[in-house]
């Protein structure tokens, strides 16, 4: 399913008018978010709720919204803090955690991590052409 999500995001971004490099970056980010939700969500995922991704284009920028409806509120807060820390610099190559968040902080602007209206994680960010 992650592969299909990655392909869908790449295709949708292209249809919206994004350059190939932006399509690639959006697909890479969604791949990272979905893989993390699957890997780290095994401790809380019980209802089988679907992850969702929405991609939009406005003012020459691609917006990505990712929702994990089952992520507990405490985990959302921890992710927000970890993403902020990742933006401060690349983690050690010995560190098993943090590289994906660092990647997101490099590609995305105006990243917001918050509790979704119905509960769970809502991550929003924008990608600009380089």
């Amino acid at each position: 399913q992650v592969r299909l999500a990655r392909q869908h995001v790449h295709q949708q971004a292209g249809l919206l008018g994004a350059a190939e490099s932006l399509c690639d970056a959006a697909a890479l980010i969604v791949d990272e978010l979905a893989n993390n939700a699957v890997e780290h969500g095994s401790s809380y995922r019980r209802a089988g709720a679907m992850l969702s991704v929405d991609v939009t284009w406005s003012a020459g920028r691609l917006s990505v919204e990712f929702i994990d409806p089952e992520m507990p509120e405490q985990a959302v807060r921890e992710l927000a803090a970890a993403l902020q820390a990742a933006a401060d610099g690349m983690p050690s190559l010995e560190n098993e955690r943090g590289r994906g968040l660092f990647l997101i902080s490099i590609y995305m602007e105006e990243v917001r991590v918050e509790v979704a209206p119905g509960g769970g994680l809502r991550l929003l960010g924008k990608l600009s052409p380089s």
Side-chain angles (χ1 to χ4, degrees):
Q1 295 294 346
V2 173
R3 180 179 56 82
L4 293 175
R6 189 175 53 240
Q7 290 172 343
H8 180 73
V9 165
H10 192 281
Q11 180 182 29
Q12 286 302 110
L15 291 173
L16 291 169
E20 185 71 17
S21 61
L22 225 52
C23 297
D24 291 345
L28 181 64
I29 286 168
V30 167
D31 180 74
E32 183 63 33
L33 291 169
N35 276 312
N36 278 345
V38 170
E39 179 183 347
H40 301 294
S42 63
S43 64
Y44 60 78
R45 193 164 312 287
R46 298 291 177 258
M50 298 295 288
L51 305 172
S52 69
V53 178
D54 187 37
V55 179
T56 57
W57 180 260
S58 178
R61 293 175 23 164
L62 196 63
S63 295
V64 175
E65 177 186 56
F66 179 83
I67 296 182
D68 178 352
E70 293 189 60
M71 182 181 271
E73 192 171 322
Q74 178 61 34
V76 173
R77 286 194 297 271
E78 290 169 4
L79 177 62
L83 188 59
Q84 179 59 47
D88 294 336
M90 188 170 84
S92 162
L93 292 176
E94 312 312 315
N95 186 348
E96 289 300 317
R97 304 283 318 243
R99 288 186 296 276
L101 294 177
F102 179 70
L103 178 132
I104 289 167
S105 73
I106 287 179
Y107 281 105
M108 295 186 91
E109 304 165 349
E110 300 174 33
V111 180
R112 289 190 342 233
V113 173
E114 58 195 30
V115 175
L121 165 70
R122 180 178 186 217
L123 184 141
L124 302 124
K126 298 183 184 307
L127 294 93
S128 297
S130 42

